[in-house]
Amino acid sequence: AQSVSQHNHHVILSEAASLELGCNYSYGGTVNLFWYVQYPGQHLQLLLKYFSGDPLVKGIKGFEAEFIKSKFSFNLRKPSVQWSDTAEYFCAVILYNFNKFYFGSGTKLNVKP
Amino acid sequence: NAGVTQTPKFRVLKTGQSMTLLCAQDMNHEYMYWYRQDPGMGLRLIHYSVGEGTTAKGEVPDGYNVSRLKKQNFLLGLESAAPSQTSVYFCASSVYSYEQYFGPGTRLTVT
């Protein structure tokens, strides 16, 4: 079965610290990759996506992610976090030409002011 | 555009009761999905639909049924609610295999 792993379940950072959240998937074929964010009490919103082309993609609010095909990874980064980045972050994968999205278990980020 | 809406926002059921959750989207998306979100488990796909009149099972379909009679609506039914179905339910829609747009969620408690 396909799977998406997010190894960091809970991350605590101070404002201005750098962030990197890991995401690995288990499928060897072509994939579309996503990072979603869920602010407290809200629904999931798209941060960024990768379909093809430049493996370094930029999203909203200063987030970026790098697709490394050889490592089956799609890690999320932000150079300097803010208190308003406190949220839960989900990595998601969809197998190309298939209909199912697979989500990781999520990483809760707590940014201390 | 309202995007994806879900009705109701909250519901409390007794074990054995039934209910239907409604999801509606106004983006003319072909694909629609129902997920449940439980702490530490991310989102798990219950059922999905790739077009009007079609449905398919996801990862955790037991105890749920769905219908997609109209392109814009996707209904999730619980025939006989159980405490294990206490969760937050999210509906989403997408244009084929592209990004999903999520609704605000329904918080369901089964006592």
Side-chain angles (χ1 to χ4, degrees), chain A residues 49-71:
Chain A
K49 60 191 177 190
Y50 173 80
F51 294 160
S52 63
D54 188 344
L56 184 62
V57 293
K58 295 190 185 302
I60 60 171
K61 304 186 180 185
F63 286 91
E64 63 178 33
E66 185 175 13
F67 171 51
I68 303 180
K69 189 173 181 180
S70 60
K71 294 185 178 180

Side-chain angles (χ1 to χ4, degrees), chain B residues 8-79:
Chain B
K9 289 186 168 47
F10 302 95
R11 185 72 186 267
V12 178
L13 288 179
K14 293 189 188 312
T15 298
Q17 287 185 317
S18 63
M19 76 163 294
T20 300
L21 306 183
L22 170 64
C23 175
Q25 52 95 4
D26 60 3
M27 297 174 283
N28 202 35
H29 286 170
E30 288 293 333
Y31 291 12
M32 296 186 75
Y33 308 79
W34 275 108
Y35 293 92
R36 59 178 289 171
Q37 184 181 30
D38 302 292
M41 303 186 77
L43 277 77
R44 292 183 292 168
L45 183 64
I46 305 171
H47 286 280
Y48 64 100
S49 167
V50 300
E52 183 179 319
T54 73
T55 63
K57 293 180 180 180
E59 289 177 79
V60 289
D62 294 342
Y64 305 95
N65 57 73
V66 288
S67 64
R68 182 108 180 260
L69 299 179
K70 293 182 180 180
K71 186 177 184 179
Q72 63 268 34
N73 295 339
F74 195 29
L75 305 178
L76 177 72
L78 284 73
E79 295 169 341

